[in-house]
Amino acid sequence: MTGFEKTTPTGLARQPLDKALTDELVRTVREELRAELREQTKRQRRKATLYAASGAAALYAGAAVALAVGLALTLGLPDWAAALVVAVLLGLAAVLLRGAAHPRSGQGAPGTGRQDAPAAPAAAPSPSASGVPGAPGGPGIPAPPPMPPSTPAPGGGR
């Protein structure tokens, strides 16, 4: 042990120093990532809380509007009929909102077991320039030009 081991050209003496620097760098990067993720999580948690509070306020506002509509209807209808009209209106709104939330794809929602009817096989093209989807000349198929009216042959009248 004369000290030559520390200065050998193989770099064995530098390995513990490189390992310490690498460990310190990894530790610093991890701390920075944790701090950044903590900050992002705090912002997202605040945003989610505000959305939940706005949803609760909207629920109470909707209930107040439904109550006002029901009370206004009781001026001209019996109480039970006014309540029935409000319930039907709210049910209709729920169905319309549900329909707007679902995508218009060929398959039903996953897990519901529903599937839309399969598309009918394509019919032979006929002269039609209606522009209606699914009709001959619809999307992807150019419409054939309209046929000019034909004149009856002379002498072939009925």
Side-chain angles (χ1 to χ4, degrees), residues 38-61:
R38 195 173 296 126
E39 181 66 28
Q40 287 179 2
T41 303
K42 182 189 279 186
R43 278 183 271 152
Q44 289 175 350
R45 188 180 311 134
R46 183 173 189 278
K47 187 184 289 187
T49 303
L50 290 174
Y51 274 121
S54 70
L59 177 69
Y60 285 113

Side-chain angles (χ1 to χ4, degrees), residues 83-100:
L84 185 63
V85 168
V86 171
V88 168
L89 289 175
L90 289 175
L92 180 65
V95 168
L96 291 175
L97 289 172
R98 182 177 183 266

Side-chain angles (χ1 to χ4, degrees), residues 25-42:
L25 179 63
V26 166
R27 195 171 21 257
T28 305
V29 168
R30 283 183 185 161
E31 288 173 5
E32 287 296 319
L33 282 175
R34 280 187 189 129
E36 181 66 28
L37 289 175
R38 195 173 296 126
E39 181 66 28
Q40 287 179 2
T41 303
K42 182 189 279 186

